[in-house]
Amino acid sequence: MSIRLIHPQTSSINGLVPLGLVQGVNDLLASSITQDGLCPLRISWEQGRISSMEILRDSIEFDLKLILPRLIEPHTHLDKAFTWRKFPNIIGTYNEALNQNYKEHKTRNQERVKARASHALNLALRNGIRAVRSHIDSFGYSVEETWEVLYDLQDDWKDFVELQLVALVPIDFWSRKSGEIFATKLAIKGGLMGGVVVPPIRSKELRNSLYKMLRLANNLGCGIDLHIDEASIEPAAGLMELVQLLEQFDNQVPITCSHVSSMGLLSSRKLLSLADRMAEQRINVVALPLTNAWLLERSPAITPSKRPLAPIRQLQRAGVKVALGWDNVQDPWFPLGRFDPLTLMAFSMPLAQLAPWQRLGLSPFTTAAASLLGLAWNGTFAIGGPADLMVLDCSSWVEALSSPPKRKVLINGDWLDE
């Protein structure tokens, strides 16, 4: 990796910052705020930390650019990113994605995994991402080699991108002795236990496997992040099993449920009741609308009129932390993407009706995502906070999301060399 930071001649910048991400500025004027909720500020920093912030009262005199904090990718798959070219899923079905995924496993080696994961992290960094949680296929071929590469990259990139790793396995793996040994190593390294819970749901078997997973995770102090209910049938069946189990279990580790797309197919009454129960059990959610919209409810003869989609707003209103992620990037599960959080925001506007000029439309990419990943910084601008930001070559949300803008990235007070 070749990354160079440039110390700035001037440690301050003028720009437009989302109002909901500004803390500790007491003299904000309503007349200063743009219609899409942007606040004109001068941000100064010393030794990598914000030292002052002040309102630009005559902001019309300045050529102001949109400023955002460095953002977060809460759910992706670095080990198989950019494999679409050799393992395309032309018909676009879930089963064919799985088939191509298995074919890719047979060709895996350390060199290939390292090359594509390094490429992904380099793109993420230059696109303004500061933390990535990646699920790693931990079954089939080259498992140990894959993890060795990802652990090395985690250490190599720690000064630029915080990398969290989740072991993606069948749920019953954690019930075996080999699963216990793997989980122990994972916990020592700060990783998370993961798995897949999709239909058909066999309640007794699933409940037993989930219970053993929870018990092991709590004994080790290891977090959990599940692929759950990524389906268009048996709405929220996996979630219901998990919640019912947690209501009888003294859980002390963070739990994230990724996808939860079939939950959106529940009736309103059942959905809201389940959302309240999830909030009570402190379950976090990562919604992944792009891959879900591409794969689920697919038929060669029809355009589906009802799409399984995580009920983001209902979950937020119930008090559940919800983040949004790319999930798959140019692999058999989804053919598009370049680890650009702004493109993800743009795609999510029509799919999930999330507008970043609204607090709950922006939080899945900023504060909620930071909290869900347990990051030290919540992504807001405050005195004493990190001077970690990106300056976009545009002056409004609409410009930023209409076409991916050029950007300059500041890392702990130093500019990333373009």
Side-chain angles (χ1 to χ4, degrees):
M1 56 187 291
S2 179
I3 298 171
R4 191 165 70 99
L5 298 178
I6 301 173
H7 191 67
Q9 295 180 343
T10 303
S11 298
S12 67
I13 192 168
N14 300 327
L16 295 165
V17 180
L19 181 60
L21 298 181
V22 178
Q23 292 187 338
V25 178
N26 298 319
D27 58 346
L28 291 176
L29 299 176
S31 59
S32 302
I33 312 303
T34 69
Q35 288 185 333
D36 51 356
L38 300 175
C39 175
L41 283 184
R42 174 176 290 119
I43 300 173
S44 302
W45 61 89
E46 295 177 2
Q47 298 181 338
R49 294 275 163 176
I50 294 176
S51 56
S52 67
M53 296 188 297
E54 59 180 298
I55 288 289
L56 297 173
R57 298 183 183 277
D58 298 318
S59 58
I60 195 170
E61 297 179 7
F62 300 94
D63 179 23
L64 299 180
K65 304 297 184 184
L66 178 55
I67 298 177
L68 298 177
R70 291 173 67 209
L71 298 174
I72 296 158
E73 174 47 67
H75 182 122
T76 193
H77 296 262
L78 294 180
D79 55 326
K80 54 194 173 197
F82 304 107
T83 55
W84 172 276
R85 182 177 177 183
K86 291 187 177 180
F87 302 94
N89 175 9
I90 301 301
I91 60 176
T93 64
Y94 187 100
N95 286 338
E96 181 61 11
L98 199 59
N99 180 44
Q100 293 295 330
N101 202 149
Y102 283 130
K103 288 182 179 179
E104 182 271 313
H105 281 184
K106 295 178 182 179
T107 72
R108 280 196 179 189
N109 58 39
Q110 289 186 316
E111 182 180 359
R112 287 172 178 161
V113 172
K114 182 176 181 179
R116 56 192 183 230
S118 297
H119 178 50
L121 288 169
N122 186 61
L123 282 173
L125 175 69
R126 297 187 181 280
N127 285 330
I129 289 176
R130 64 183 175 100
V132 172
R133 177 178 287 184
S134 178
H135 295 247
I136 308 301
D137 287 358
S138 302
F139 51 88
Y141 297 82
S142 303
V143 173
E144 291 185 9
E145 293 86 348
T146 296
W147 275 91
E148 185 178 335
V149 166
L150 269 297
Y151 280 141
D152 286 346
L153 289 175
Q154 187 179 50
D155 186 61
D156 291 345
W157 284 83
K158 66 180 183 295
D159 293 333
F160 305 101
V161 178
E162 180 173 332
L163 177 57
Q164 299 183 1
L165 302 174
V166 186
L168 181 58
V169 295
I171 292 294
D172 61 3
F173 173 74
W174 303 117
S175 303
R176 307 172 201 162
K177 185 62 179 178
S178 55
E180 183 178 346
I181 293 171
F182 189 19
T184 302
K185 295 177 181 178
L186 197 64
I188 292 171
K189 290 279 195 175
L192 293 91
M193 297 165 62
V196 181
V197 180
V198 294
I201 301 295
R202 298 177 178 89
S203 298
K204 187 175 181 180
E205 296 173 21
L206 175 61
R207 195 175 300 122
N208 185 51
S209 294
L210 284 173
Y211 173 77
K212 291 180 178 178
M213 181 185 191
L214 283 169
R215 187 177 62 185
L216 179 59
N218 276 267
N219 287 342
L220 296 172
C222 189
I224 292 172
D225 192 334
L226 296 170
H227 287 62
I228 191 164
D229 293 326
E230 182 184 6
S232 55
I233 59 173
E234 297 188 37
L239 272 173
M240 291 178 186
E241 289 292 338
L242 176 63
V243 170
Q244 185 175 354
L245 181 58
L246 285 171
E247 288 171 341
Q248 305 167 44
F249 189 93
D250 182 23
N251 179 59
Q252 300 298 319
V253 300
I255 295 180
T256 297
C257 288
S258 292
H259 288 289
V260 304
S261 35
S262 70
M263 183 181 177
L265 302 178
L266 291 172
S267 69
S268 179
R269 180 180 61 82
K270 290 182 178 179
L271 192 158
L272 295 177
S273 173
L274 180 56
D276 286 339
R277 293 170 68 193
M278 291 168 66
E280 288 174 5
Q281 299 306 318
R282 303 185 304 280
I283 294 174
N284 303 318
V285 166
V286 178
L288 303 160
L290 274 63
T291 296
N292 290 165
W294 174 248
L295 289 178
L296 299 182
E297 202 66 5
R298 179 179 284 274
S299 167
I302 64 169
T303 298
S305 57
K306 192 171 186 179
R307 299 287 182 91
L309 178 67
I312 296 168
R313 290 179 179 171
Q314 296 95 317
L315 288 165
Q316 289 175 323
R317 287 203 300 270
V320 176
K321 293 173 187 171
V322 182
L324 229 86
W326 260 107
D327 196 3
N328 304 92
V329 175
Q330 294 189 38
D331 68 22
W333 301 86
F334 188 70
L336 307 181
R338 288 182 61 81
F339 289 93
D340 185 348
L342 297 177
T343 303
L344 176 60
M345 278 189 190
F347 282 3
S348 300
M349 282 188 68
L351 276 174
Q353 297 183 350
L354 292 177
W357 49 84
Q358 297 171 343
R359 182 180 64 85
L360 292 179
L362 184 59
S363 66
F365 305 95
T366 54
T367 52
S371 178
L372 189 148
L373 266 64
L375 303 180
W377 174 43
N378 66 0
T380 60
F381 293 96
I383 305 300
D388 264 28
L389 54 85
M390 55 175 166
V391 183
L392 309 180
D393 189 18
C394 59
S395 58
S396 72
W397 278 118
V398 169
E399 285 182 82
L401 302 181
S402 293
S403 179
K406 292 182 180 179
R407 64 206 76 178
K408 292 179 61 178
V409 178
L410 189 75
I411 303 175
N412 292 325
D414 291 329
W415 294 107
L416 179 64
D417 185 17
E418 299 178 7

